[in-house]
Amino acid sequence: MLRNVAVVVMDGVAAFELGVLCEVFGSDRTADGFPGYRFDICSPDGGPVRAENGFTLVPPADLTPLEDADLVAVPAHKGGSVVPPSVLAALRRADARGAQILSVCSGAFILGEAGLLDDRECTTHWRYADELQARFPRAKVACNHLYVHDGNLLTSAGTAAGIDACLHLVRQQHGSEIATKLARRMVVPPHRDGGQAQYIEAPIARTPDAPTLEPLLTWLITNLDRPITVDDLAARAHMAPRTFARRFRAETGTTPHDWLTGQRVLLARRLLEETELAVETVAGKSGFGDAATLRHHFSRRVGATPHAYRSTFRK
């Protein structure tokens, strides 16, 4: 059962992500029937730390509470923050004895430095996912997840996804009733559908690094509503279909069908965000033909249905 929570902070700690942990685990709501926790904010030497936002925090503890905490949490820290060896060692000891380890956003990089991501599934903010994978190649980075729970390791994506991860842990430890009640108290959804893909800014862009095919790709982007086959594209590029397919993959890194589908999904996202067109109309204008085909490809690529996506992002 979750009773003792220790949060590690160092210079460069992000205020919001730290605040999420304080709100969920550091606020005493026992009078209203919520579980209570011993909650400690810990710095490497018990001294003050400078937050990323410019103010100074004076934590009440050094790393001692990490030794018996049921949950050790690491909020986001500014990129390039120096992690003392004592912090890395304390995280390894907590992991070795089976404590729950939670990171919020870029806090996953600190877990990576401690070696806790090796051969385990994890996530972080979508902007940093490639960097996390490059720095820790043994990690199994799932870049489209709001949070990932692998054994005793719980990692979350950016900012608000930390709330999702904390509520997930509360649900696991104390049941759905408590988690839902806490979410209502915090005025947030108890569970969000979909993954990070629905929040990634991915505008329809030109492809200047495809010297042979750039004119064709530019034409395609302005004609996504047309029924287009690979043979049609090959003919337009004055190539045999097999030659065209090889050249397309060489210059874009993917197949014509996959690239075209991706561009159509991006156009559908824009139409769902910026217009009130019916989903069936969006499907036609983005080249999917009908709503069922749009839903299939949209859900696979974005992690949410067109209707759910519009509900979240309609301007």
Side-chain angles (χ1 to χ4, degrees), residues 17 31-32 37 54 59 72 100 111 116 119 135 151 182 220 234 243 277 291 305 308:
E17 285 80 354
D32 294 327
Y37 310 100
V72 175
Q100 293 286 331
L111 302 190
L116 303 190
D119 304 315
R135 284 183 56 183
L182 178 59
L220 264 176
T243 302
L277 296 172
T305 66

Side-chain angles (χ1 to χ4, degrees), residues 121-202:
E121 194 172 5
C122 59
T123 194
T124 188
H125 192 291
W126 58 267
R127 290 185 64 186
Y128 311 133
D130 289 343
E131 181 186 352
L132 186 69
Q133 186 67 80
R135 284 183 56 183
F136 308 107
R138 290 180 59 186
K140 302 175 181 177
V141 181
C143 60
N144 187 38
H145 290 56
L146 294 176
Y147 58 84
V148 173
H149 205 169
D150 186 337
N152 67 317
L153 187 73
L154 178 58
T155 53
S156 71
T159 311
I163 300 174
D164 298 305
C166 289
L167 288 175
H168 164 76
L169 189 57
V170 169
R171 187 180 302 109
Q172 183 190 67
Q173 294 286 322
H174 306 295
S176 295
E177 182 179 354
I178 290 294
T180 301
K181 184 178 177 182
L182 178 59
R184 185 177 299 114
R185 176 72 172 265
M186 295 172 61
V187 198
V188 297
H191 176 76
R192 284 194 295 165
D193 294 325
Q196 289 197 74
Q198 59 188 308
Y199 302 99
I200 297 173
E201 182 181 358

Side-chain angles (χ1 to χ4, degrees), residues 83-102:
V83 185
S86 59
V87 171
L88 301 179
L91 289 171
R92 294 187 194 106
R93 289 194 298 272
D95 178 63
R97 63 180 174 80
Q100 293 286 331
I101 310 291
L102 165 65

